[in-house]
Amino acid sequence: MQIFLARNNVQAGPYTLDQLNIMLTSGEVLLDDLIWHDGLDQWQRVGNLTNNQRAYRPANISSPEVNDSIINNVTVFPEDAETSSAKDGKSVSLDRLYGKPERPKDNAKNAKVDMTSNRHHTPHNNVSLDKTAINKKSTAKDKVVGNVVLAPIMSRVLATALDWLLLIMAFLPLMLAMRELGGMPADLQNMDELIKYSLSLSESIPNATQLMSNAMVFGLIALQLLFIILRGQSLGKLITGIRIVDQTTHRLPSFIRLVGIRTFLLALIYIPFSTTFLVFIPLALHYYMASKSPQNIGWHDKLAKTLVVKADSSQLVKQPKVK
Protein backbone atom coordinates (compact mmCIF):
# COMPACT_ATOMS: atom_id res chain seq x y z
CA MET A 1 0.00 0.00 0.00
CA GLN A 2 1.36 3.39 -1.00
CA ILE A 3 0.28 6.17 1.35
CA PHE A 4 0.46 9.90 0.64
CA LEU A 5 0.26 12.73 3.16
CA ALA A 6 -0.55 16.42 2.87
CA ARG A 7 -0.27 19.44 5.13
CA ASN A 8 -0.71 23.15 4.40
CA ASN A 9 -1.44 22.41 0.73
CA VAL A 10 1.83 20.49 0.34
CA GLN A 11 1.93 16.75 -0.36
CA ALA A 12 4.51 14.11 0.59
CA GLY A 13 5.02 10.41 -0.04
CA PRO A 14 4.64 7.66 -0.86
CA TYR A 15 5.09 5.78 2.44
CA THR A 16 4.36 2.28 3.61
CA LEU A 17 1.92 1.51 6.42
CA ASP A 18 4.83 0.72 8.77
CA GLN A 19 6.44 4.05 7.98
CA LEU A 20 3.20 5.90 8.64
CA ASN A 21 2.70 4.21 12.01
CA ILE A 22 6.28 4.99 13.08
CA MET A 23 5.80 8.65 12.14
CA LEU A 24 2.45 8.75 13.93
CA THR A 25 4.00 7.32 17.08
CA SER A 26 6.90 9.82 17.02
CA GLY A 27 4.54 12.74 16.44
CA GLU A 28 6.10 13.59 13.07
CA VAL A 29 2.73 13.00 11.41
CA LEU A 30 -0.19 14.78 13.06
CA LEU A 31 -3.77 13.58 13.37
CA ASP A 32 -4.90 16.72 11.53
CA ASP A 33 -2.77 15.93 8.47
CA LEU A 34 -4.50 14.62 5.33
CA ILE A 35 -4.00 11.08 3.97
CA TRP A 36 -4.78 9.29 0.71
CA HIS A 37 -4.11 5.78 -0.60
CA ASP A 38 -5.72 3.27 -2.94
CA GLY A 39 -9.24 2.54 -1.72
CA LEU A 40 -9.97 6.10 -0.59
CA ASP A 41 -12.13 8.20 -2.90
CA GLN A 42 -11.14 11.44 -1.21
CA TRP A 43 -8.36 12.85 0.95
CA GLN A 44 -9.19 12.18 4.60
CA ARG A 45 -8.03 13.56 7.94
CA VAL A 46 -5.59 11.05 9.49
CA GLY A 47 -7.44 11.11 12.83
CA ASN A 48 -10.72 10.20 11.11
CA LEU A 49 -9.19 6.97 9.82
CA THR A 50 -7.37 6.08 13.05
CA ASN A 51 -10.20 7.01 15.43
CA ASN A 52 -7.81 9.69 16.76
CA GLN A 53 -5.28 7.02 17.73
CA ARG A 54 -1.59 7.13 16.79
CA ALA A 55 -1.78 3.90 14.82
CA TYR A 56 -3.47 3.18 11.48
CA ARG A 57 -4.86 -0.31 10.89
CA PRO A 58 -6.94 -0.14 7.72
CA ALA A 59 -9.60 -2.78 7.21
CA ASN A 60 -12.57 -2.34 4.91
CA ILE A 61 -12.32 1.31 3.94
CA SER A 62 -15.61 3.19 3.97
CA SER A 63 -15.05 6.80 4.89
CA PRO A 64 -17.41 9.79 4.56
CA GLU A 65 -16.74 12.16 1.72
CA VAL A 66 -14.39 15.00 2.54
CA ASN A 67 -13.87 18.03 0.34
CA ASP A 68 -10.31 17.79 -0.95
CA SER A 69 -10.31 21.19 -2.62
CA ILE A 70 -7.82 22.50 -0.06
CA ILE A 71 -5.07 20.45 -1.68
CA ASN A 72 -6.05 20.90 -5.31
CA ASN A 73 -3.37 23.57 -5.57
CA VAL A 74 -0.61 21.84 -3.63
CA THR A 75 2.87 23.30 -3.81
CA VAL A 76 5.13 21.38 -6.16
CA PHE A 77 8.89 21.87 -6.16
CA PRO A 78 10.52 21.17 -9.55
CA GLU A 79 13.29 19.03 -8.14
CA ASP A 80 10.71 16.85 -6.39
CA ALA A 81 8.25 16.56 -9.27
CA GLU A 82 10.78 14.78 -11.45
CA THR A 83 10.93 11.79 -9.14
CA SER A 84 7.40 11.95 -7.81
CA SER A 85 5.01 9.03 -8.14
CA ALA A 86 2.29 10.48 -5.92
CA LYS A 87 -1.34 10.93 -6.79
CA ASP A 88 -1.69 13.60 -9.52
CA GLY A 89 2.14 13.73 -9.67
CA LYS A 90 2.38 16.29 -6.88
CA SER A 91 4.64 15.23 -4.05
CA VAL A 92 7.55 16.42 -1.93
CA SER A 93 9.60 14.71 0.70
CA LEU A 94 8.50 14.76 4.32
CA ASP A 95 11.60 16.84 5.08
CA ARG A 96 10.38 19.58 2.75
CA LEU A 97 6.79 19.22 3.99
CA TYR A 98 7.88 19.83 7.60
CA GLY A 99 10.48 22.48 6.75
CA LYS A 100 13.47 20.32 7.64
CA PRO A 101 16.88 20.37 5.87
CA GLU A 102 16.96 17.61 3.28
CA ARG A 103 19.80 15.16 2.88
CA PRO A 104 21.30 14.54 -0.58
CA LYS A 105 19.56 11.81 -2.51
CA ASP A 106 21.30 8.43 -2.49
CA ASN A 107 20.84 6.54 -5.73
CA ALA A 108 22.79 3.50 -4.60
CA LYS A 109 21.06 0.18 -5.11
CA ASN A 110 21.39 -0.77 -1.49
CA ALA A 111 19.92 2.52 -0.21
CA LYS A 112 17.16 2.00 2.32
CA VAL A 113 14.37 4.33 3.38
CA ASP A 114 14.61 5.81 6.88
CA MET A 115 11.07 5.22 8.12
CA THR A 116 10.95 8.26 10.37
CA SER A 117 12.00 10.93 7.91
CA ASN A 118 11.63 9.71 4.29
CA ARG A 119 15.42 9.93 3.91
CA HIS A 120 17.82 7.38 2.46
CA HIS A 121 20.76 5.74 4.11
CA THR A 122 22.90 2.67 3.61
CA PRO A 123 21.59 -0.25 5.69
CA HIS A 124 23.60 -1.49 8.67
CA ASN A 125 23.27 -4.69 10.61
CA ASN A 126 21.20 -4.54 13.79
CA VAL A 127 20.19 -0.92 13.19
CA SER A 128 17.29 0.17 15.39
CA LEU A 129 14.48 2.15 13.77
CA ASP A 130 14.49 4.39 16.84
CA LYS A 131 17.65 6.43 16.32
CA THR A 132 16.46 10.02 16.70
CA ALA A 133 17.91 12.37 19.30
CA ILE A 134 14.51 12.69 20.92
CA ASN A 135 14.47 9.01 21.87
CA LYS A 136 18.03 9.17 23.19
CA LYS A 137 17.14 12.00 25.54
CA SER A 138 13.59 11.05 26.58
CA THR A 139 12.49 8.76 29.39
CA ALA A 140 9.15 7.28 30.31
CA LYS A 141 8.39 10.30 32.53
CA ASP A 142 9.23 12.91 29.90
CA LYS A 143 6.67 14.88 27.93
CA VAL A 144 7.32 14.82 24.19
CA VAL A 145 5.97 17.41 21.76
CA GLY A 146 6.71 16.68 18.11
CA ASN A 147 10.49 16.23 17.86
CA VAL A 148 11.44 17.80 21.22
CA VAL A 149 11.42 16.63 24.84
CA LEU A 150 9.99 19.17 27.26
CA ALA A 151 12.29 20.21 30.08
CA PRO A 152 11.12 18.97 33.51
CA ILE A 153 9.77 21.70 35.78
CA MET A 154 12.43 20.98 38.42
CA SER A 155 15.20 21.43 35.83
CA ARG A 156 13.76 24.83 34.98
CA VAL A 157 13.53 25.80 38.66
CA LEU A 158 17.13 24.68 39.19
CA ALA A 159 18.28 26.71 36.16
CA THR A 160 16.58 29.83 37.53
CA ALA A 161 18.12 29.25 40.96
CA LEU A 162 21.59 28.92 39.38
CA ASP A 163 21.14 32.17 37.43
CA TRP A 164 20.12 34.00 40.63
CA LEU A 165 23.06 32.46 42.50
CA LEU A 166 25.50 33.66 39.83
CA LEU A 167 24.02 37.16 40.05
CA ILE A 168 24.35 37.20 43.84
CA MET A 169 27.97 36.08 43.53
CA ALA A 170 28.63 38.94 41.09
CA PHE A 171 27.27 41.43 43.63
CA LEU A 172 29.09 39.77 46.54
CA PRO A 173 32.03 42.23 46.80
CA LEU A 174 29.60 45.16 46.90
CA MET A 175 27.32 43.42 49.40
CA LEU A 176 30.25 42.68 51.73
CA ALA A 177 31.38 46.30 51.54
CA MET A 178 27.85 47.50 52.36
CA ARG A 179 27.71 45.13 55.31
CA GLU A 180 30.89 46.62 56.73
CA LEU A 181 29.25 50.05 56.49
CA GLY A 182 26.18 48.90 58.40
CA GLY A 183 24.03 47.62 55.55
CA MET A 184 21.14 49.34 53.79
CA PRO A 185 18.90 51.50 56.04
CA ALA A 186 15.40 50.16 56.54
CA ASP A 187 13.78 53.61 56.58
CA LEU A 188 14.26 54.52 52.92
CA GLN A 189 10.81 55.72 51.88
CA ASN A 190 11.14 56.95 48.32
CA MET A 191 13.39 57.01 45.26
CA ASP A 192 15.05 60.32 46.24
CA GLU A 193 16.25 58.88 49.52
CA LEU A 194 17.48 55.75 47.75
CA ILE A 195 19.46 57.87 45.25
CA LYS A 196 21.00 59.92 48.04
CA TYR A 197 21.97 56.75 49.89
CA SER A 198 23.52 55.29 46.70
CA LEU A 199 25.61 58.42 46.18
CA SER A 200 26.88 58.42 49.74
CA LEU A 201 27.59 54.71 49.46
CA SER A 202 29.66 55.19 46.31
CA GLU A 203 31.82 57.68 48.19
CA SER A 204 32.34 55.31 51.13
CA ILE A 205 33.13 52.09 49.26
CA PRO A 206 36.72 51.78 47.95
CA ASN A 207 37.13 52.28 44.20
CA ALA A 208 38.80 48.88 43.82
CA THR A 209 35.75 47.17 45.31
CA GLN A 210 33.40 49.10 43.05
CA LEU A 211 35.45 48.27 39.96
CA MET A 212 35.58 44.59 40.87
CA SER A 213 31.84 44.44 41.47
CA ASN A 214 31.04 46.32 38.23
CA ALA A 215 33.35 44.05 36.23
CA MET A 216 31.73 40.93 37.67
CA VAL A 217 28.14 42.17 37.18
CA PHE A 218 28.57 43.50 33.63
CA GLY A 219 30.74 40.53 32.69
CA LEU A 220 28.03 38.14 33.87
CA ILE A 221 25.32 40.06 32.01
CA ALA A 222 27.38 40.05 28.79
CA LEU A 223 28.09 36.32 29.11
CA GLN A 224 24.42 35.55 29.77
CA LEU A 225 23.33 37.55 26.72
CA LEU A 226 25.93 35.86 24.52
CA PHE A 227 24.73 32.36 25.43
CA ILE A 228 21.06 33.37 25.17
CA ILE A 229 21.51 34.84 21.68
CA LEU A 230 23.71 32.05 20.29
CA ARG A 231 22.26 29.02 22.09
CA GLY A 232 18.91 29.99 23.62
CA GLN A 233 20.37 29.19 27.04
CA SER A 234 21.25 31.21 30.09
CA LEU A 235 24.19 29.85 32.07
CA GLY A 236 21.74 28.11 34.41
CA LYS A 237 19.99 26.44 31.47
CA LEU A 238 23.33 25.51 29.94
CA ILE A 239 24.35 23.74 33.16
CA THR A 240 21.02 21.89 33.45
CA GLY A 241 20.94 20.94 29.76
CA ILE A 242 17.75 22.75 28.73
CA ARG A 243 17.01 25.38 26.08
CA ILE A 244 14.39 27.89 24.93
CA VAL A 245 12.88 27.15 21.50
CA ASP A 246 10.08 28.54 19.36
CA GLN A 247 6.70 26.90 19.99
CA THR A 248 6.12 26.32 16.27
CA THR A 249 9.49 25.54 14.69
CA HIS A 250 11.20 23.98 17.76
CA ARG A 251 14.34 25.89 16.75
CA LEU A 252 15.90 29.00 18.28
CA PRO A 253 13.26 31.76 18.56
CA SER A 254 13.61 35.07 16.76
CA PHE A 255 15.83 37.74 18.35
CA ILE A 256 12.77 39.79 19.36
CA ARG A 257 11.13 36.85 21.17
CA LEU A 258 14.31 35.49 22.71
CA VAL A 259 16.08 38.68 23.77
CA GLY A 260 13.50 41.45 23.50
CA ILE A 261 10.60 39.67 25.23
CA ARG A 262 12.00 36.65 27.04
CA THR A 263 15.04 38.51 28.43
CA PHE A 264 14.71 42.32 28.58
CA LEU A 265 10.94 42.57 29.08
CA LEU A 266 10.97 39.95 31.83
CA ALA A 267 13.92 41.73 33.46
CA LEU A 268 11.93 44.99 33.50
CA ILE A 269 9.02 43.16 35.12
CA TYR A 270 11.15 41.52 37.83
CA ILE A 271 13.63 44.30 38.66
CA PRO A 272 11.17 46.42 40.74
CA PHE A 273 10.59 43.40 43.02
CA SER A 274 14.17 42.13 43.06
CA THR A 275 15.00 43.48 46.54
CA THR A 276 11.90 41.98 48.21
CA PHE A 277 10.28 38.58 48.56
CA LEU A 278 7.53 39.79 46.21
CA VAL A 279 9.79 38.70 43.34
CA PHE A 280 8.88 35.08 44.09
CA ILE A 281 5.14 35.66 43.49
CA PRO A 282 5.24 36.09 39.66
CA LEU A 283 7.98 33.45 39.49
CA ALA A 284 5.91 30.93 41.46
CA LEU A 285 2.87 31.74 39.31
CA HIS A 286 4.92 31.03 36.19
CA TYR A 287 6.01 27.59 37.36
CA TYR A 288 2.55 26.75 38.69
CA MET A 289 1.05 27.51 35.26
CA ALA A 290 3.78 25.44 33.61
CA SER A 291 3.09 22.46 35.88
CA LYS A 292 -0.59 22.52 34.91
CA SER A 293 0.04 22.91 31.18
CA PRO A 294 0.31 19.89 28.85
CA GLN A 295 3.32 21.55 27.21
CA ASN A 296 4.82 23.04 30.41
CA ILE A 297 3.92 26.55 29.25
CA GLY A 298 4.06 29.23 31.94
CA TRP A 299 3.29 32.91 31.52
CA HIS A 300 6.89 33.59 30.44
CA ASP A 301 6.36 31.13 27.56
CA LYS A 302 2.92 32.52 26.67
CA LEU A 303 4.38 36.02 26.48
CA ALA A 304 7.22 35.03 24.15
CA LYS A 305 5.52 32.03 22.43
CA THR A 306 8.36 29.74 23.43
CA LEU A 307 8.93 26.30 24.94
CA VAL A 308 11.66 25.15 27.31
CA VAL A 309 13.00 21.77 26.17
CA LYS A 310 15.90 19.42 26.70
CA ALA A 311 18.79 20.80 24.67
CA ASP A 312 19.70 19.09 21.41
CA SER A 313 22.17 20.23 18.75
CA SER A 314 19.53 19.98 16.00
CA GLN A 315 17.67 22.89 17.60
CA LEU A 316 20.59 25.19 16.70
CA VAL A 317 20.38 24.41 12.99
CA LYS A 318 18.76 27.27 11.10
CA GLN A 319 15.65 26.27 9.22
CA PRO A 320 16.10 26.70 5.46
CA LYS A 321 13.75 29.06 3.67
CA VAL A 322 11.59 27.32 1.08
CA LYS A 323 11.27 29.51 -2.03
Side-chain angles (χ1 to χ4, degrees):
M1 175 188 295
Q2 290 189 329
I3 299 172
F4 301 92
L5 302 170
R7 179 191 295 177
N8 298 331
N9 296 337
V10 182
Q11 182 177 313
Y15 305 99
T16 66
L17 181 60
D18 287 339
Q19 290 174 320
L20 172 63
N21 283 326
I22 290 173
M23 291 186 292
L24 277 169
T25 301
S26 70
E28 197 168 6
V29 171
L30 306 178
L31 296 178
D32 287 330
D33 290 342
L34 298 179
I35 184 174
W36 180 88
H37 57 72
D38 289 336
L40 292 178
D41 294 331
Q42 305 285 343
W43 287 84
Q44 306 288 334
R45 177 178 173 271
V46 173
N48 291 348
L49 298 185
T50 65
N51 293 322
N52 290 321
Q53 302 297 314
R54 292 201 169 274
Y56 182 36
R57 300 179 180 86
N60 294 325
I61 302 171
S62 58
S63 304
E65 290 189 0
V66 175
N67 186 357
D68 64 345
S69 62
I70 63 173
I71 60 158
N72 285 338
N73 295 317
V74 297
T75 303
V76 182
F77 299 92
E79 63 269 30
D80 297 314
E82 294 177 1
T83 57
S84 169
S85 60
K87 183 177 181 277
D88 299 327
K90 300 175 181 180
S91 176
V92 297
S93 70
L94 194 63
D95 290 332
R96 178 69 62 86
L97 179 65
Y98 288 173
K100 295 181 178 180
E102 295 184 271
R103 294 183 183 180
K105 295 180 181 179
D106 184 358
N107 295 323
K109 294 181 179 180
N110 62 342
K112 184 176 181 180
V113 175
D114 182 340
M115 294 185 177
T116 61
S117 61
N118 193 33
R119 295 169 176 167
H120 293 77
H121 64 83
T122 304
H124 300 279
N125 293 332
N126 301 321
V127 176
S128 169
L129 296 177
D130 193 8
K131 283 291 185 181
T132 58
I134 180 176
N135 291 319
K136 292 179 181 179
K137 291 182 174 294
S138 63
T139 65
K141 295 181 180 180
D142 284 328
K143 294 181 182 179
V144 179
V145 176
N147 60 343
V148 295
V149 181
L150 297 179
I153 300 297
M154 289 310 300
S155 294
R156 297 174 61 174
V157 173
L158 178 59
T160 301
L162 289 171
D163 287 331
W164 279 87
L165 179 61
L166 290 171
L167 188 60
I168 291 172
M169 292 175 64
F171 276 107
L172 192 59
L174 188 60
M175 293 169 63
L176 291 175
M178 290 174 58
R179 184 178 179 182
E180 291 180 0
L181 297 174
M184 181 178 292
D187 57 350
L188 296 178
Q189 299 296 326
N190 53 51
M191 185 59 67
D192 290 337
E193 293 182 0
L194 182 60
I195 293 174
K196 289 180 182 179
Y197 172 74
S198 299
L199 292 175
S200 64
L201 192 65
S202 63
E203 296 174 356
S204 304
I205 296 177
N207 290 335
T209 302
Q210 294 186 46
L211 288 174
M212 181 185 299
S213 179
N214 290 339
M216 291 176 66
V217 171
F218 288 110
L220 175 63
I221 292 174
L223 196 59
Q224 291 278 36
L225 282 175
L226 180 65
F227 276 95
I228 288 172
I229 293 170
L230 297 181
R231 302 182 60 86
Q233 296 171 297
S234 65
L235 293 176
K237 288 182 172 62
L238 180 67
I239 294 170
T240 54
I242 61 179
R243 173 178 288 124
I244 300 169
V245 297
D246 186 276
Q247 287 184 9
T248 303
T249 64
H250 296 170
R251 307 286 179 88
L252 285 185
S254 66
F255 183 87
I256 293 176
R257 289 185 182 179
L258 185 60
V259 179
I261 299 177
R262 183 90 195 201
T263 304
F264 285 117
L265 182 58
L266 288 179
L268 291 175
I269 293 173
Y270 279 99
I271 284 175
F273 308 102
S274 59
T275 58
T276 68
F277 285 102
L278 293 176
V279 72
F280 294 107
I281 295 178
L283 196 60
L285 178 62
H286 166 66
Y287 287 122
Y288 176 78
M289 290 178 60
S291 66
K292 297 299 181 181
S293 168
Q295 295 185 347
N296 291 358
I297 295 177
W299 69 267
H300 295 183
D301 308 297
K302 283 184 176 292
L303 196 64
K305 296 182 180 179
T306 56
L307 294 174
V308 181
V309 302
K310 288 189 175 182
D312 184 83
S313 58
S314 63
Q315 297 152 2
L316 300 176
V317 179
K318 291 185 178 180
Q319 194 167 7
K321 294 181 179 179
V322 179
K323 299 181 180 180

